[in-house]
């Protein structure tokens, strides 16, 4: 017996509901909107939020790219890509410039995105104040009042302890000069790519049941102090495979002697250069 | 008659019940710029309830609290949108809790605690924040070397002084205090009261001070209001009220603390 699923797995009503929430999210850049997250055929933590967003916006003409930590061929990326190939029949690609829709976990592609592209982020924890203020009702009030001194307190504490703002991932940003927003666990080094991006950026948090968005050409400003400006770290070592200096690298142990190499985390970018 | 400038806060007929219990019954008072008003009375008389109603943390069933800085009582605490009330609480007003742990962020260093209000007001220069933190540590007589220590490593008296620094850094014109000394050892109370008195006169702020300790009222307050069962039964200049009480309840209160 063959089971037929609807295009992109979710039924049309559900997809429509998610798209409506996304429209609201686009209208209030950086603001988290609750949504009725569905059960998906994979566990939370594997990108159920991102997958629902992708399922809601994907059309037959789309060309889909899926990356996990910058790579097109990790287990997670491969299985999400093949899930959508079988659930939609759309073309998939590893080329950033060719893709119309990119679902990502933990990275923004090195190749600059262009107008018309959509970047879908898988988000484990959408609330940037979560670790500082555990009461959800209070975080909602803080957002409503744009009171983000708690996050500045955290930055103050970081400088005091480490001499610099030592936030490597999930660096807090202010979107459209209004909402404090989590960029999802991408490296701080990727955050400038979000600012004024020509692409539409959508964020899905399945377990936390929230969506948010950054429309194209929107200001995304990292929080910092004037005398301790945002200054994300990246190795100055060139990529051992393609020689790129500016790209974000993974540090890889290459033998039993513990020797290390720095290699571009964006496999498509690295491959294009070789 | 003494000349006194226009009040900065005035409460009219505040009434508040907890179920059948009437905690405030038609309480009215006013406070003038730079004056310290002590609210005294026995346990359960409604002092804290009154303070919280004035502050806007408790909504009365009837009556209103009006305030304003420039002689015009043009704003009403009860009608203030939540955002404006919060803004008021974080800058122009201050509240000092009996237990400093209710106010301090125990997982943040002393310096961070002190400068939080400045960051809320938009200060974005770390060096300036450090300077201000050091300045206020000295002001409340804590060794500046302790700036990066967590409040949990401080004694009770130091925590209370930290709370004072954290609150006064925004230069509030009106300070609410609920029994700020009663959690302290007797040995450190005198020093703390001295510090408080100096800061209050130096900062020229008005203070509404709740205390059951008449000695504290005498030391800090220009005026006292005596509460009994949710009512203010006597009010006046501190020395007059405490030396020559008119109401029988005040007479009882004074005689029980100041044995003949
Ligand atoms: N949240 C509440 N729910 C019910 N009753 C309350 C509440 N808060 C206070 N009360 C009651 O209201 C009365 C006044 O309480 P309040 O705390 O204002 O007194 P107080 O003068 O500050 O006393 P103390 O000196 O012990 O702090 C008391 O009878 C108290 O039990
Ligand atoms: Mg009390």
């Amino acid at each position: 017996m063959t089971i037929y699923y609807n295009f992109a797995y979710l039924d049309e009503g559900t997809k429509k509901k998610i798209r409506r929430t996304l429209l609201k999210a686009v209208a209030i850049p950086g603001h988290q909107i609750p949504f009725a997250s569905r059960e998906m055929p994979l566990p939370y933590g594997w990108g159920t939020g991102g997958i629902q967003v992708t399922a809601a916006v994907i059309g037959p003409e789309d060309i889909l790219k899926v990356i996990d930590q910058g790579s097109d061929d990790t287990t997670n990326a491969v299985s999400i890509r093949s899930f959508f190939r079988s659930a939609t029949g759309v073309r998939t690609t590893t080329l950033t410039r060719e893709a119309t829709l990119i679902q990502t976990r933990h990275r923004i592609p090195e190749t600059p995105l262009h107008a018309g592209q959509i970047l879908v982020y898988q988000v484990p924890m959408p609330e940037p104040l979560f670790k500082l203020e555990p009461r959800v009702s209070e975080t909602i009030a803080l957002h409503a009042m744009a009171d983000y001194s708690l996050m500045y307190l955290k930055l103050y504490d970081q400088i005091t302890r480490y001499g610099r703002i030592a936030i490597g991932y999930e660096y807090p940003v202010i979107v459209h000069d209004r909402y404090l927003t989590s960029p999802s666990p991408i490296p701080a080094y990727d955050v400038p790519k979000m600012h004024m991006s020509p692409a539409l950026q959508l964020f899905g948090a399945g377990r936390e049941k929230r969506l948010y968005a950054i429309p194209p050409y929107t200001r995304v400003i990292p929080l910092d102090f004037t005398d301790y400006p945002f200054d994300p770290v990246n190795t100055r070592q060139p990529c051992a495979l393609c020689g790129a200096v500016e790209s974000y690298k993974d540090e890889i142990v290459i033998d039993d002697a513990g020797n290390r190499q720095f290699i571009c985390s964006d496999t498509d970018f690295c491959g294009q250069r070789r | 008659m003494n000349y006194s400038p226009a009040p900065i806060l005035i409460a009219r007929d505040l009434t508040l019940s907890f179920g059948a219990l009437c905690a405030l019954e038609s309480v009215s008072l006013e406070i003038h710029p730079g004056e310290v008003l002590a609210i005294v009375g026995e346990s359960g008389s409604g002092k804290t309830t009154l303070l919280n109603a004035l502050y806007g943390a408790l909504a009365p069933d009837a009556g209103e609290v009006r305030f304003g800085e420039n002689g015009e009582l043009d704003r009403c605490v009860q009608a203030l949108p939540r955002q404006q009330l919060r803004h008021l609480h974080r800058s122009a007003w201050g509240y000092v809790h009996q237990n400093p742990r209710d106010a301090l962020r125990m997982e943040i260093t002393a310096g961070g605690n002190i400068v939080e209000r400045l960051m809320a007001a938009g200060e974005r220069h770390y060096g300036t924040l450090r300077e201000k933190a050091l300045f206020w540590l000295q002001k409340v007589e804590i060794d500046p070397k302790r700036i990066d220590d967590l409040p949990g490593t401080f004694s009770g008296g130091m925590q209370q002084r930290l709370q004072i620094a954290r609150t006064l850094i925004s230069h509030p014109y009106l300070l609410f205090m609920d029994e700020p000394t009663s959690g302290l050892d007797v040995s450190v109370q005198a020093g703390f009261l001295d510090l408080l008195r100096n800061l209050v006169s130096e900062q020229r702020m008005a203070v509404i001070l709740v205390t059951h300790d008449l000695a504290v009222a005498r030391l800090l307050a220009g005026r006292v209001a005596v509460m009994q069962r949710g009512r203010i039964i006597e009010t006046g200049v501190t020395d007059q009220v405490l030396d020559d009480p008119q109401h029988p309840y005040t007479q009882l209160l004074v005689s029980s603390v100041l044995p003949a």
Side-chain angles (χ1 to χ4, degrees), chain A residues 191-204:
Chain A
V191 164
K193 300 187 179 90
M194 304 173 88
H195 177 59
M196 299 306 274
S197 172
L200 168 64
Q201 303 176 72
L202 303 175
F203 300 77

Side-chain angles (χ1 to χ4, degrees), chain A residues 120-138:
Chain A
V120 176
Y121 296 77
Q122 302 169 203
V123 181
M125 173 37 75
E127 177 49 68
L129 296 169
F130 152 73
K131 279 200 180 132
L132 306 168
E133 175 52 72
R135 290 166 299 178
V136 173
S137 58
E138 183 65 13

Side-chain angles (χ1 to χ4, degrees), chain B residues 42-49 52 98 178-179 210-212:
Chain B
E42 66 187 3
S43 180
S45 57
K47 304 182 296 294
T48 298
T49 305
N52 288 331
Q98 174 175 350
D178 192 2
E179 309 271 10
V210 162
T211 181
H212 64 267

Side-chain angles (χ1 to χ4, degrees), chain A residues 194-226:
Chain A
M194 304 173 88
H195 177 59
M196 299 306 274
S197 172
L200 168 64
Q201 303 176 72
L202 303 175
F203 300 77
R207 188 187 50 213
E208 300 296 324
K209 301 182 169 48
R210 276 153 197 248
L211 303 177
Y212 53 104
I214 301 174
Y217 304 107
T218 299
R219 286 167 56 78
V220 178
I221 307 295
L223 262 65
D224 61 5
F225 288 107
T226 47

